[in-house]
Amino acid sequence: MEVKSIVLGVEGMTCNSCVQTIEQHVGRINGIHNIKVSLEDKNAVIIYDSKLQTPATLREAMYDMGFDATLADSNPQSVLLDTVFLTIPTQSSLTSKQICSALLKNKGVVDVKMSSDQRTAVVAFIPSVVNGKQVMQMVPGVDLSISAPEVTPGTCESSSWSQASSVVLRLKVEGMTCHSCTSTIEGKIGKLQGIQRIKVSLDNQEAAVVYQPHLITAEEIKHQIEAAGFTASFKKQPKPLKLSAIDLERLRNTQTKGSETVLKEMSSTNDTKTVVFRIDGMHCSSCVLNIQSTISALPSVTSIVVSLEKKSAIINYNPNLTSIEVLRRAVEAVSPETFKVSLPEEYNVALLPTLMSTLKSPLPALKDASQPLTQVVVINIEGMTCNSCVQSIEGVISQKAGVKSIHVSLTNHNGAIEYDPLQTCPEDLRSAIEDMGFDASLPVPAHPSLTEPLSKVSPAHLVRQEAKTVSKCYVQVTGMTCASCVANIERNLRREDGIHSILVALMAGKAEVRYNPAVIHPSAIAELIRELGFGATVMENCGEGDGILELVVRGMTCASCVHKIESTLMKTNGVLYCSVALATNKAHIKYDPEIIGPRDVIQVVKDLGFTTSLVKKDRSASHLDHKQEIRQWKRSFVVSLVFCIPVMGLMIYMMVMDSQLSDAHTHHNMSSEEMEALHSSMVLEYQLLPGLSVMNFLSFLLCVPVQMFGGWHFYIQAYKAVKHKTANMDVLIVLATTIAFVYSLVVLLVAMAEKAKVNPVTFFDTPPMLFVFISLGRWLEHVAKGKTSEALARLISLQATEATIVTLGPDNVLLSEEQVDVELVQRGDIVKVIPGGKFPVDGRVIEGHSMVDESLITGEAMPVTKKPGNTVIAGSINQNGSLLISATHVGADTTLSQIVKLVEEAQTSKAPIQQFADKLSGYFVPCIVAVSVVTLFAWIIIGFVDFEIVEKYFLGYNKSISAAEVIIRFAFQASITVLCIACPCSLGLATPTAVMVGTGVGAQNGILIKGGEPLEMAHKVKVVVFDKTGTITHGTPEVTQVKFLVEGNQLPRNKMLAIVGTAESNSEHPLGTAITKYCKKELDAETLGTCTDFQVVPGCGISCKVTNIEGLLHRKNKMVEENNIKNVTLVKIEENMEESVQPALIIDAELPATRTSEKYSVLIGNREWMSRNGLVVKNEVDKAMMEHERRGRTAVLAAVDGVLCGLIAIADTVKPEAELAVCTLKSMGLEVVLMTGDNSKTARSIASQVGITKVFAEVLPSHKVAKVKQLQDEGKRVAMVGDGINDSPALAMANVGIAIGTGTDVAIEAADVVLIRDDLMDVVASIDLSRKTVKRIRINFVFALIYNLVGVPIAAGVFLPIGLVLQPWMGSAAMAASSVSVVLSSLLLKMYQKPSPEKLEFRARGQMRHKSPSEISVHIGIDETGTGSPKLSLMDRIINYSRASINSLFSDKRSVNSVVLSEPDKHSLLVGDFGDDDDTAL
C-alpha cells in the first residue's frame, strides 16, 4: 500500500470558512488520510492512498466544490510510515479481525497485520497524522500495549538486516570546484532518511552512496544533488531489492527518530528573532549552499539566507533553544571550517515577527523551510486621478505571477506590493505599471540589510546573478618573454575562483581579465600574476578596453536625424558614447568590444535607413615617407631658383665688367675720372632715378619675392624658436638674409635721398642664392630621410586591408561569407584566408593545412607549416591551402602592429651621442652670431685703421666708391658669410639618420633593436654572457648515441630501433619523445608498431608489450636492398663489405613468408629499473653509462624479452652555429662567459664543445642578475644573451639584453635587442651592426664639424692674406653640402651585409677547437672561486695519453650493428677531451 503526498494550488478561497469547508469535505473522501489548506499560500497539502485516489481525482473533488485547483508539483512524494507492534490482551472481547477493521477505520492508519498466534498486531501509520499512543487508544474497550518485536531464531537483528539490504549507488557529479562543494553534497545527502554512507571525490568527480532503497530512491538522491546546484548522472543503475511485507514492517520499525518530535520542534517557532552575521572566506555558490543546508538543519533555526556578494547571513532562530554565540560557532564549524564569522558593529538584535508559513505536513516540512518568503515593495505612482485608476492597477498587477497582494493608495500616490522575489522583481512591477500609462518609480532603499530577501536563493538564480555581475580589468604585465609565459599566466588564472576568462597580449604586455567582483578584485588578480613571477600592475581607467569607431554617415538631412542616430545608439547595449556631427557627416562612437562589435554598430545605423562606412585610415605610412616635406622643399627650391638665375646672371656680368675695367685701368693707365665716366655709362649702372641704378632696381625686384615666398617657412620656424628662447638653424638663415636685405635697402634709400652720383653697392643677390642652396639641401635631405624609413614603411604596408569573415554551421559547414574592412574584424570571428592572401589578424587555425611565408616578420626564409591549433601572425602570406582561423588579436593588438610600434619607438628614441649633438647645436647658434658680430666690427676697425689691407684684399674693389663704403661693405660681406656657412643642421642629422638606417637594416635582417641607446651601447660591450639551455643548446633532448649490446644476428639494428621507438611512443617524458623521434628518423617512418600494457614508473622507466613491427621492418629492408643494388651498379663493392651485409639480408628476406605478428616484452629505464626486473647490468655497460653521465648526458638501457640489448645516450645538443659564434666573438676582442642553472658536469661539457673557458654553473635566475651586476662593477659593459624564460631579470640588468626568440616570441620588456631568428650568428651580427653604425655616426660628425671648423674662419676673413675669401652664396652652398653629405654617408649603411658564416669559418679555421677540461674554469653558484680542473703535470698528460690510446684499441669491437655516425680522431681523446664521443659521435 503506497501512501503519497501532493500539493495542489487552490484559487478562489476568500476566508477561513472556505478553508474549513475544503478540509471537511475532502477529508471525508475515502483514501484521504490528511489535508491541510493554507489561505495565504493558496494551496492544499493532501496525504492520500495512491491505490484509492490519484492527483486528478483530487483536483476534480476541488472543482466540484467550486474552487480552481492546479497541480503545483506533478510528482507526488512518497510518505514515510512508522510501525508499532501492539500486544492484544488474551481476555479481549473483540476478535483479531474486528480489532484490525477498527484500527483501519481511523485516519492515519495505513495497514494492520496479525501474527500467526493472533496475539501481536503490526500497525503501519502516518506519523504526521497520528502517533503510537493514539493508535493504542483507537479500539475502545480493548487495552492495547506496545511491545518489542521478538527476535525469532533464524531471523537477523533489524540493524544488521538493514545493513544487508543496502544498495551501493555510484553517481558522476559535475560542477564541483573545491572541497567546500564535496562537503555540501555529503552534508545534504547524508541527512536524508535511508542514506547510510556517502563519499564524494573531487578528483574523480563522483559520489558513492550506500542507501536503503525501501526508504529512498536513487532518483531522489540524484534529484537532491541537482538541487544543490550540481549536475548528477548514474554511473551504474542500482539493482532493486525484493522484500516481503514482514521484512518491510521490520525495517520501517528501525527508523531512528519519530517524525513527530520534529513536528513539535517546528511548531514551537512562534517567537523567533533575526540575526545578521558577516561571513568571510566564501568562494562560490557552493559555500553558500553548504552553510544554508548545514545551519537550516539545526532544530532552533527557522530560516537562513546567505549572500555571497554581501558576505552576510540572515538567520531566523528560536532564542529559547539557542543563542547568537552558538549560531556563530555553528557557522564557523561548517566544513571546510575556513569561514570567519563576525557580527556587524551596528547590529542590534531586533525582534521580527516570523515570516514562516504554518507547516502543512511533516513531509514537506523541509521543503517549506526552503520555500521563498515574500517581500514588500512600495512604488511611487504618478498620474492616478480616481478610484477607477486604483482598481485597474490593483486588478492588473495582482494577476502577475509572483504577486501575493497589492494595495494602491490614491492619496499617497503609491502602491504597496507583496511579492515572491524568485518569481518577479520590483523593476518588473514598476515597468508593468508604466505599461498601463502611469509614471512609476522605485524609492531609494533605506537599509540594505532589510531589503535582502529572506529566502533561499536557488543555485540557478545565483548563476544568473553571477553572469550579470562580470567586470573587466586590464593588468600591465612585465617580464613576459615568450608564448610560454602567456600560456602559464592564462592557465593558472583560469583555475582561480571568480575569474571567467583571461586574454594576455605578449607584445603589448597587457592582460584583459573578466572576473566576478563579488569573489575577486583586480588587485588580487595582479597579486596572483605576481606570484607566478611576473611584474603586474592594474591599469587604472584603461580606455583601451573601449573600442573607438569613426564612421561616415550619409543621408542625414537635419538635427532630428542626428538625434535619432544618437539616441538609438546610446540605447544599444555596449555603446558607451556617441556623437554625430551633421556638418561633417561623421559619427564618433565609443563601445565595449566585449558586448558589441563595430559591425553591429554599423548595422544599427543602417537599420535606421542611413548609409554608413568607416572613415578610411591612412595605412600607407605616409608620415614616414616625408612626401609632404619633399614637396614643400622642392617648391621652395624651384621658386628661389627661378629668381636666383637672373640675379646670378647680373652678378656674373658685373663681375666680368669689373675685372675688365680693372684690367684696363692697370694696362691702359686710364685716369680715375675716365674710369668713373666709363663705369656710369654701362647699361646696368644707368641711373633711373638719382642714386637708383638699373642693376640695383632689378636685384631688388628679384629679391623681394624670394625673401617673401622662398623664405616664408624659415621665418615661421625662426619665430617659433625665438619665442621658445632657443636658437636653431632657421634663426641663422633668417638673420643672414634679413640683414643682407635690410642693409641693401637702407643703403639704396640713403643714396636716393642724397641723389648720389655713384651707385651704392648692395647685397640683393645674397638672399636668393642663400635660399636656393638651403632649400636644395633640405629637399635632398628629406628624400634621403624617406629612404631611411623604408624598412618601417614596408612593415606597415604588410597589413592586409580587407578580411573575409565566414559563418560556420554544425560540423564547420560554411553558411555564409562576407568581405569586410580589417578594422571591422572582431575577436572570435572566423576568418577565411585563401592561398596567396595575407592574414588580416593574429589568430589560431581551426581548419585547413597550408604553408605560410612569415619571412617579412620573422626573417625566416622557409615557409612554415600551419595546421589546426597553430597560431598565425597578421601580415604573413598564406601559400598553398585555404585556412579558417579564429581571430585572437585584432587592430592595434596584433603582433605586426606591436612590432611596428617597437620599431617606430626605436627610431624616434635618441641615442646618448645624439643628446650631446642636440646640446651642442643649442650653444652653436649664439656662438656663430657672436662670431659674426665680432667679424663685422673687427673689419670696420681694421679698415678705418689701415685701409690698405682692405683695398689690397677686397676683390672687385673699384675706386668709384668711397673708402668708408668699401670698408662697411667688406665687413658686412664677411659677417654675413659667417652666418651662412655655419650649419648646426648636419650635427643634428649625424646621429638620427644613422640610427634610422641602422635599425631599419637590423629589422630586415631579423634583428629588432629597440632604439638608439642599445644600438650605440652594443659597440662598447666587453663581455658577452650566454645562457645555456635554449640559447647555446637547442633546449630539447636528442639522442646522441645508440650502442648495441647484442650481436646483429640475434637482434638486427632496425628491429631493435623499431621495438624501442614503438615502446616509447606512448611516453610523455621528454627523453621518451627524443627516442621515438630518433627511431622514426633512422627508420624513415612516420608511424611505428603497436604498444600495449604500457606502464610507467616515475624516476625508473617503462615496461610494455610491442607488436606489429614486421611490416615496418619489411618496408625498411626493401629500401635497403634497393639501395644496395643501386650501389652495386655504381661502385664495385669490396668483398668484406658484401660479406657483412649478406647475412642480415638473408634473415630479413624470410620475413614476408612467416608474417605472424610477434609480441616483444620491452623494458626501458635506468640501472635500478633493470635490477628491479631481475636483469644484471655488466661492468663494461656500467662504465660506459658512467662515462656518458660524466659528460652531462642521460644514459638509458633497453631490454627486449629479458635481454639487455641497447644503451641509448640522450643529451641537450649544442646548436651547430654556437662554436663559430663564440669563436667570432672572441676574435672581435670580447670575453665570452657561459651562465647556467644546470650542474657543473653538463656545463663543462657544453663549454668545451663551443670553446668557452669561463663557466658559472648552478646559478639561480635571481643570482644571474647578481652575476651580471658583479661583472658591471668590474667596469665591464655586459651583453646578456638568453632565451628569455628565466633570464628576463638578467636581460634587463645587462647593458644590452639580447633575447633569442623563435618566431615572434619577443622578449618585450627585458631585452634591448631581439633576434627574431633562432640563430646565434645574429648575436655577432647585432654587435657588428652596432659597431658599423657608431663608426658611421662618427664619420658623420667629422663631416659636419669639418665644414664648420674650416668654413667659419675662411668666411670671417682669417685667411684673407693668402687670398682665400668667400662670398655669402658660397657659404650657403657649403652649408647645404654638409647636410647632404651627412645623410648620404648614413645611407651607405644600407649596403650593410651580415657577416657570412662561410667567411667567418674560413677566418676562424685555425682557432676553432674543443677546449680541454684544464682550460675551463667552472664557478659554482654565485661565488667567484672556480673549481677549475687540476693542472696536470707533463708526466700525467703522457700517461693519460698512452692510456687513452690503449683503451681506444681495446674498446668494444665495432660490429655491423654499431651505429657509426662520424669517425672522430682517436688521439683527440687526450686528457679525456670530451668534445667528441668515444664510439659514436652525433
Side-chain angles (χ1 to χ4, degrees):
M1 183 177 286
E2 186 87 44
V3 179
K4 298 264 175 131
S5 155
I6 193 157
V7 182
L8 290 178
V10 184
E11 293 291 334
M13 298 186 291
T14 53
C15 58
N16 278 328
S17 149
C18 302
V19 172
Q20 286 165 6
T21 311
I22 296 171
E23 284 181 350
Q24 285 165 8
H25 184 80
V26 177
R28 283 203 293 272
I29 298 173
N30 191 20
I32 301 292
H33 290 290
N34 188 27
I35 175 167
K36 189 82 184 157
V37 181
S38 164
L39 179 63
E40 293 84 8
D41 289 353
K42 296 184 181 170
N43 66 10
V45 181
I46 306 171
I47 297 175
Y48 65 97
D49 185 340
S50 60
K51 284 186 180 169
L52 301 172
Q53 298 291 343
T54 64
T57 58
L58 297 173
R59 226 170 68 200
E60 276 171 24
M62 292 280 188
Y63 277 134
D64 295 344
M65 294 174 66
F67 299 101
D68 282 344
T70 52
L71 280 175
D73 188 358
S74 55
N75 287 333
Q77 302 284 334
S78 296
V79 175
L80 298 180
L81 305 177
D82 256 2
T83 327
V84 69
F85 288 75
L86 299 177
T87 308
I88 301 170
T90 42
Q91 67 276 28
S92 163
S93 56
L94 299 173
T95 64
S96 53
K97 272 190 180 175
Q98 288 169 325
I99 290 172
C100 277
S101 58
L103 283 168
L104 284 169
K105 277 176 192 164
N106 290 290
K107 294 281 182 196
V109 176
V110 177
D111 191 20
V112 182
K113 278 199 170 51
M114 280 291 174
S115 61
S116 50
D117 60 357
Q118 304 290 311
R119 284 284 156 263
T120 309
V122 182
V123 185
F125 63 93
I126 300 164
S128 58
V129 180
V130 68
N131 61 30
K133 281 182 184 170
Q134 289 169 330
V135 172
M136 282 162 56
Q137 294 151 9
M138 278 179 181
V139 187
V142 179
D143 184 19
L144 299 168
S145 63
I146 295 179
S147 66
E150 292 170 12
V151 181
T152 49
T155 62
C156 301
E157 281 282 353
S158 53
S159 62
S160 61
W161 171 242
S162 73
Q163 210 66 38
S165 64
S166 305
V167 174
V168 177
L169 171 66
R170 288 196 180 279
L171 294 136
K172 178 138 188 74
V173 183
E174 290 170 313
M176 297 188 290
T177 53
C178 60
H179 286 291
S180 165
C181 302
T182 58
S183 308
T184 302
I185 298 171
E186 286 174 355
K188 192 175 172 86
I189 306 302
K191 284 199 208 82
L192 298 173
Q193 200 163 13
I195 300 289
Q196 289 175 322
R197 238 182 12 259
I198 174 165
K199 185 79 192 96
V200 182
S201 163
L202 179 64
D203 299 332
N204 303 336
Q205 296 273 311
E206 70 169 28
V209 188
V210 179
Y211 73 103
Q212 293 173 302
H214 61 284
L215 296 177
I216 190 166
T217 63
E219 273 301 330
E220 177 60 21
I221 296 169
K222 174 173 171 272
H223 177 70
Q224 290 292 344
I225 293 175
E226 284 175 343
F230 303 95
T231 315
S233 56
F234 294 124
K235 274 196 160 181
K236 283 183 185 165
Q237 284 294 342
K239 284 182 182 167
L241 283 176
K242 291 188 168 60
L243 296 171
S244 66
I246 196 77
D247 295 334
L248 270 173
E249 283 156 16
R250 183 166 287 180
L251 280 165
R252 282 178 184 143
N253 208 33
T254 61
Q255 285 175 9
T256 49
K257 178 179 175 186
S259 312
E260 64 267 22
T261 52
V262 180
L263 249 187
K264 281 179 197 166
E265 286 171 11
M266 290 300 204
S267 59
S268 67
T269 58
N270 49 1
D271 55 336
T272 61
K273 286 188 178 177
T274 301
V275 64
V276 181
F277 285 126
R278 176 179 170 80
I279 304 179
D280 290 301
M282 296 189 288
H283 297 299
C284 58
S285 38
S286 167
C287 300
V288 171
L289 288 162
N290 198 0
I291 295 170
Q292 284 185 171
S293 58
T294 309
I295 302 302
S296 62
L298 298 174
S300 53
V301 175
T302 54
S303 76
I304 172 169
V305 178
V306 181
S307 165
L308 179 65
E309 286 78 9
K310 297 186 177 170
K311 296 185 179 172
S312 70
I314 301 173
I315 305 175
N316 245 15
Y317 68 100
N318 185 344
N320 304 329
L321 299 176
T322 188
S323 68
I324 291 176
E325 185 52 33
V326 171
L327 287 173
R328 191 183 68 75
R329 285 206 299 274
V331 178
E332 284 189 338
V334 172
S335 172
E337 299 182 18
T338 55
F339 303 116
K340 300 270 182 294
V341 184
S342 57
L343 281 170
E345 291 80 354
E346 76 278 358
Y347 173 73
N348 54 351
V349 182
L351 194 67
L352 292 177
T354 177
L355 292 167
M356 283 289 289
S357 312
T358 51
L359 284 166
K360 321 327 179 260
S361 73
L363 179 84
L366 273 172
K367 257 178 66 185
D368 289 355
S370 69
Q371 268 182 358
L373 308 165
T374 57
Q375 269 186 285
V376 176
V377 66
V378 178
I379 297 179
N380 300 324
I381 306 170
E382 293 297 330
M384 296 186 291
T385 52
C386 58
N387 276 329
S388 154
C389 301
V390 171
Q391 283 167 2
S392 68
I393 293 173
E394 285 180 345
V396 172
I397 302 301
S398 63
Q399 296 301 311
K400 276 190 74 66
V403 175
K404 304 288 182 197
S405 68
I406 175 169
H407 174 70
V408 179
S409 162
L410 181 62
T411 48
N412 300 338
H413 296 289
N414 65 13
I417 305 172
E418 187 186 358
Y419 66 97
D420 178 347
L422 288 189
Q423 288 182 290
T424 187
C425 68
E427 185 49 43
D428 289 350
L429 297 171
R430 186 195 65 75
S431 57
I433 295 170
E434 280 204 331
D435 291 345
M436 294 176 67
F438 302 98
D439 285 341
S441 61
L442 290 169
V444 181
H447 197 287
S449 68
L450 294 177
T451 59
E452 177 77 19
L454 293 176
S455 69
K456 282 201 176 182
V457 183
S458 73
H461 182 69
L462 269 169
V463 171
R464 264 203 314 277
Q465 218 170 336
E466 218 165 272
K468 262 187 231 166
T469 58
V470 173
S471 298
K472 188 168 68 175
C473 70
Y474 289 86
V475 182
Q476 185 77 53
V477 184
T478 57
M480 291 191 295
T481 52
C482 63
S484 100
C485 301
V486 171
N488 183 11
I489 295 172
E490 289 185 348
R491 188 176 59 247
N492 283 290
L493 259 71
R494 279 201 193 106
R495 290 185 190 146
E496 296 295 333
D497 285 328
I499 292 181
H500 292 281
S501 70
I502 173 165
L503 189 84
V504 181
L506 174 70
M507 300 289 297
K510 192 171 81 175
E512 176 191 299
V513 187
R514 297 178 70 206
Y515 64 99
N516 181 355
V519 180
I520 196 165
H521 46 92
S523 53
I525 294 170
E527 187 50 47
L528 288 170
I529 296 175
R530 279 198 285 275
E531 280 168 15
L532 295 174
F534 301 94
T537 48
V538 179
M539 298 164 77
E540 297 297 333
N541 309 325
C542 174
E544 285 178 55
D546 304 337
I548 291 174
L549 196 57
E550 293 276 357
L551 296 179
V552 176
V553 183
R554 303 256 174 237
M556 296 188 293
T557 51
C558 59
S560 103
C561 300
V562 170
H563 175 69
K564 187 171 162 190
I565 295 171
E566 283 182 353
S567 58
T568 310
L569 281 173
M570 286 306 284
K571 276 185 199 157
T572 308
N573 186 22
V575 174
L576 309 172
Y577 166 80
C578 168
S579 152
V580 181
L582 181 63
T584 57
N585 282 344
K586 277 190 183 169
H588 179 83
I589 300 147
K590 258 192 192 171
Y591 62 94
D592 182 350
E594 288 296 319
I595 301 170
I596 194 169
R599 293 204 302 283
D600 310 328
V601 174
I602 289 177
Q603 196 52 50
V604 169
V605 181
K606 280 185 177 164
D607 291 345
L608 291 173
F610 301 97
T611 54
T612 178
S613 61
L614 270 182
V615 172
K616 284 280 173 256
K617 282 202 182 136
D618 179 21
R619 290 206 196 88
S620 61
S622 58
H623 60 293
L624 295 172
D625 57 18
H626 299 272
K627 275 193 181 136
Q628 197 187 341
E629 289 93 337
I630 291 171
R631 224 177 13 253
Q632 179 190 324
W633 288 113
K634 187 178 176 182
R635 195 170 56 234
S636 182
F637 168 67
V638 171
V639 169
S640 305
L641 189 65
V642 166
F643 293 104
C644 176
I645 290 168
V647 170
M648 283 174 87
L650 293 173
M651 193 175 73
I652 291 163
Y653 172 73
M654 286 303 292
M655 282 165 79
V656 170
M657 295 305 291
D658 275 354
S659 62
Q660 278 179 0
L661 279 175
S662 54
D663 284 354
H665 176 56
T666 46
H667 294 116
H668 305 98
N669 301 323
M670 291 168 76
S671 66
S672 299
E673 286 75 18
E674 286 172 317
M675 284 277 301
E676 254 175 53
L678 181 63
H679 197 264
S680 56
S681 68
M682 284 159 52
V683 178
L684 291 178
E685 287 299 324
Y686 172 73
Q687 290 196 342
L688 300 171
L689 293 169
L692 177 62
S693 67
V694 175
M695 168 77 187
N696 282 342
F697 182 61
L698 286 176
S699 299
F700 172 72
L701 286 181
L702 292 169
C703 181
V704 170
V706 176
Q707 195 72 32
M708 291 303 160
F709 301 114
W712 180 248
H713 181 73
F714 293 104
Y715 276 105
I716 292 169
Q717 294 301 337
Y719 168 69
K720 285 180 182 168
V722 172
K723 198 165 88 177
H724 291 110
K725 299 196 172 75
T726 60
N728 62 6
M729 184 61 214
D730 301 313
V731 175
L732 281 185
I733 295 162
V734 166
L735 271 177
T737 54
T738 311
I739 290 170
F741 183 74
V742 171
Y743 166 79
S744 306
L745 192 60
V746 169
V747 169
L748 197 59
L749 291 174
V750 168
M752 284 169 71
E754 292 178 352
K755 298 189 174 163
K757 289 278 185 344
V758 178
N759 297 317
V761 175
T762 57
F763 288 117
F764 285 127
D765 54 343
T766 304
M769 295 181 78
L770 257 181
F771 284 134
V772 161
F773 286 112
I774 287 161
S775 47
L776 173 66
R778 292 273 172 107
W779 177 33
L780 293 175
E781 180 190 314
H782 281 290
V783 168
K785 269 190 188 167
K787 290 268 189 294
T788 64
S789 319
E790 251 174 20
L792 189 50
R794 271 178 67 194
L795 271 178
I796 292 176
S797 66
L798 284 179
Q799 179 69 61
T801 53
E802 284 197 325
T804 308
I805 290 179
V806 297
T807 326
L808 297 182
D811 303 329
N812 285 359
V813 180
L814 239 70
L815 299 180
S816 69
E817 56 178 74
E818 60 166 329
Q819 285 277 348
V820 298
D821 221 308
V822 77
E823 275 101 5
L824 295 181
V825 179
Q826 290 156 212
R827 194 190 297 159
D829 278 344
I830 308 296
V831 180
K832 179 179 168 188
V833 186
I834 54 169
K838 281 180 187 169
F839 287 94
V841 290
D842 287 6
R844 195 169 276 112
V845 178
I846 56 171
E847 198 175 280
H849 286 70
S850 181
M851 302 294 282
V852 173
D853 176 10
E854 296 182 344
S855 60
L856 274 162
I857 294 159
T858 62
E860 184 59 60
M862 293 296 290
V864 187
T865 311
K866 297 289 178 190
K867 53 182 191 285
N870 291 117
T871 52
V872 290
I873 308 169
S876 50
I877 298 162
N878 186 17
Q879 289 193 336
N880 44 17
S882 194
L883 293 178
L884 288 183
I885 65 165
S886 168
T888 53
H889 293 87
V890 297
D893 293 334
T894 61
T895 305
L896 182 64
S897 305
Q898 296 294 333
I899 290 181
V900 168
K901 195 167 138 203
L902 257 186
V903 179
E904 262 182 341
E905 281 170 6
Q907 297 197 338
T908 50
S909 71
K910 288 185 177 172
I913 196 165
Q914 155 96 26
Q915 285 149 7
F916 159 74
D918 289 353
K919 215 174 192 176
L920 198 68
S921 313
Y923 296 121
F924 187 83
V925 175
C927 289
I928 292 296
V929 174
V931 169
S932 167
V933 172
V934 168
T935 307
L936 176 72
F937 286 111
W939 279 114
I940 290 174
I941 292 162
I942 291 167
F944 281 112
V945 170
D946 188 355
F947 181 63
E948 274 76 39
I949 294 176
V950 177
E951 193 177 10
K952 184 177 171 188
Y953 297 118
F954 190 16
L955 302 173
Y957 159 69
N958 58 47
K959 301 288 185 293
S960 58
I961 311 165
S962 68
E965 198 173 324
V966 169
I967 293 165
I968 287 171
R969 177 185 169 179
F970 181 72
F972 259 99
Q973 183 177 313
S975 69
I976 286 171
T977 310
V978 168
L979 286 178
C980 292
I981 201 166
C983 168
C985 249
S986 44
L987 274 179
L989 286 171
T991 313
T993 51
V995 167
M996 281 187 100
V997 179
T999 48
V1001 166
Q1004 279 170 348
N1005 283 303
I1007 303 168
L1008 283 184
I1009 302 169
K1010 298 190 198 169
E1013 195 162 349
L1015 187 63
E1016 191 198 322
M1017 186 55 79
H1019 88 284
K1020 298 179 184 171
V1021 165
K1022 288 284 169 276
V1023 182
V1024 180
V1025 180
F1026 281 99
D1027 171 51
K1028 180 182 79 74
T1029 313
T1031 306
I1032 290 279
T1033 65
H1034 284 106
T1036 51
E1038 286 179 14
V1039 173
T1040 55
Q1041 182 189 18
V1042 179
K1043 189 168 184 171
F1044 294 87
L1045 307 175
V1046 289
E1047 288 300 320
N1049 51 10
Q1050 286 177 24
L1051 183 69
R1053 171 180 172 249
N1054 285 352
K1055 191 169 185 179
M1056 183 194 142
L1057 288 179
I1059 292 170
V1060 171
T1062 305
E1064 284 288 12
S1065 62
N1066 276 15
S1067 170
E1068 289 179 0
H1069 196 283
L1071 297 180
T1073 315
I1075 293 172
T1076 304
K1077 188 177 166 188
Y1078 172 77
C1079 294
K1080 282 182 177 176
K1081 188 174 128 198
E1082 284 295 304
L1083 297 169
D1084 193 19
E1086 271 301 302
T1087 52
L1088 298 168
T1090 315
C1091 172
T1092 51
D1093 300 342
F1094 183 84
Q1095 279 184 316
V1096 60
V1097 178
C1100 286
I1102 62 156
S1103 73
C1104 66
K1105 303 272 190 292
V1106 169
T1107 51
N1108 297 341
I1109 58 163
E1110 285 74 14
L1112 178 76
L1113 292 174
H1114 181 56
R1115 196 167 66 241
K1116 177 70 181 167
N1117 288 329
K1118 217 170 179 181
M1119 283 162 63
V1120 172
E1121 258 180 274
E1122 281 168 13
N1123 282 349
N1124 286 343
I1125 291 161
K1126 277 182 199 165
N1127 292 345
V1128 170
T1129 57
L1130 292 171
V1131 184
K1132 178 82 185 82
I1133 298 177
E1134 290 171 22
E1135 295 303 313
N1136 59 354
M1137 179 73 174
E1138 280 181 359
E1139 280 167 28
S1140 66
V1141 171
Q1142 217 50 44
L1145 285 176
I1146 291 162
I1147 292 163
D1148 292 340
E1150 295 167 9
L1151 247 172
T1154 60
R1155 196 74 180 271
T1156 53
S1157 180
E1158 273 188 69
K1159 187 178 261 193
Y1160 303 94
S1161 130
V1162 185
L1163 294 170
I1164 302 174
N1166 54 18
R1167 296 182 187 84
E1168 189 194 335
W1169 184 236
M1170 294 300 154
S1171 55
R1172 264 202 217 177
N1173 286 283
L1175 291 173
V1176 180
V1177 179
K1178 290 181 191 165
N1179 249 357
E1180 57 265 36
V1181 176
D1182 196 46
K1183 273 182 191 162
M1185 287 180 80
M1186 283 164 74
E1187 178 57 26
H1188 282 304
E1189 282 156 8
R1190 187 174 73 77
R1191 300 182 182 185
R1193 302 187 194 129
T1194 308
V1196 176
L1197 293 166
V1200 177
D1201 293 335
V1203 179
L1204 267 184
C1205 60
L1207 167 63
I1208 303 165
I1210 303 166
D1212 182 3
T1213 53
V1214 172
K1215 289 181 184 172
E1217 77 278 6
E1219 192 180 357
L1220 177 60
V1222 170
C1223 183
T1224 310
L1225 288 170
K1226 283 185 169 176
S1227 69
M1228 290 163 76
L1230 302 170
E1231 183 188 343
V1232 183
V1233 175
L1234 181 69
M1235 184 148 50
T1236 175
D1238 218 330
N1239 62 45
S1240 52
K1241 274 186 195 172
T1242 312
R1244 178 172 295 189
S1245 160
I1246 298 292
S1248 82
Q1249 289 176 53
V1250 294
I1252 295 176
T1253 50
K1254 193 171 186 182
V1255 179
F1256 295 106
E1258 296 168 35
V1259 184
L1260 300 172
S1262 54
H1263 289 170
K1264 285 185 181 178
V1265 182
K1267 202 80 244 172
V1268 170
K1269 184 90 177 71
Q1270 199 176 318
L1271 289 166
Q1272 286 171 333
D1273 292 342
E1274 290 168 21
K1276 296 170 180 169
R1277 301 282 167 88
V1278 180
M1280 169 83 194
V1281 187
D1283 59 341
I1285 294 167
N1286 54 350
D1287 311 323
S1288 46
L1291 287 172
M1293 186 70 204
N1295 299 78
V1296 180
I1298 302 175
I1300 291 188
T1302 349
T1304 53
D1305 291 352
V1306 185
I1308 301 300
E1309 286 302 324
D1312 304 301
V1313 177
V1314 179
L1315 310 179
I1316 292 180
R1317 261 194 301 261
D1318 189 7
D1319 185 354
L1320 287 178
M1321 290 312 293
D1322 282 356
V1323 175
V1324 177
S1326 59
I1327 293 174
D1328 184 52
L1329 176 63
S1330 163
R1331 290 184 172 185
K1332 292 271 198 314
T1333 308
V1334 171
K1335 186 176 164 191
R1336 185 57 58 196
I1337 290 174
R1338 287 178 179 155
I1339 292 170
N1340 289 352
F1341 271 124
V1342 169
F1343 270 127
L1345 290 170
I1346 281 178
Y1347 278 107
N1348 289 322
L1349 294 176
V1350 175
V1352 171
I1354 296 175
V1358 175
F1359 298 108
L1360 207 65
I1362 57 167
L1364 262 183
V1365 69
L1366 286 181
Q1367 298 289 332
W1369 67 270
M1370 294 176 187
S1372 59
M1375 177 171 88
S1378 79
S1379 293
V1380 172
S1381 59
V1382 162
V1383 174
L1384 290 175
S1385 149
S1386 291
L1387 281 176
L1388 286 175
L1389 259 182
K1390 286 201 102 149
M1391 316 284 283
Y1392 174 78
Q1393 292 286 317
K1394 264 204 306 196
S1396 75
E1398 293 76 21
K1399 270 188 195 166
L1400 292 173
E1401 234 165 78
F1402 182 74
R1403 224 181 286 163
R1405 188 171 288 168
Q1407 302 160 359
M1408 272 165 68
R1409 66 180 186 84
H1410 290 186
K1411 301 288 178 194
S1412 70
S1414 58
E1415 291 176 87
I1416 300 169
S1417 72
V1418 178
H1419 307 266
I1420 303 291
I1422 200 162
D1423 65 328
E1424 238 333 308
T1425 54
T1427 58
S1429 304
K1431 288 273 182 277
L1432 299 176
S1433 67
L1434 183 65
M1435 192 63 201
D1436 289 337
R1437 288 179 181 225
I1438 293 165
I1439 291 167
N1440 273 337
Y1441 176 60
S1442 53
R1443 193 182 293 155
S1445 305
I1446 292 161
N1447 282 350
S1448 68
L1449 294 172
F1450 290 111
S1451 65
D1452 47 5
K1453 298 188 281 298
R1454 284 168 185 267
S1455 50
V1456 183
N1457 53 347
S1458 194
V1459 193
V1460 184
L1461 300 164
S1462 76
E1463 282 281 2
D1465 171 18
K1466 275 288 176 302
H1467 306 292
S1468 67
L1469 294 168
L1470 173 65
V1471 201
D1473 173 7
F1474 41 77
D1476 294 304
D1477 296 353
D1478 35 292
D1479 224 19
T1480 334
L1482 189 83

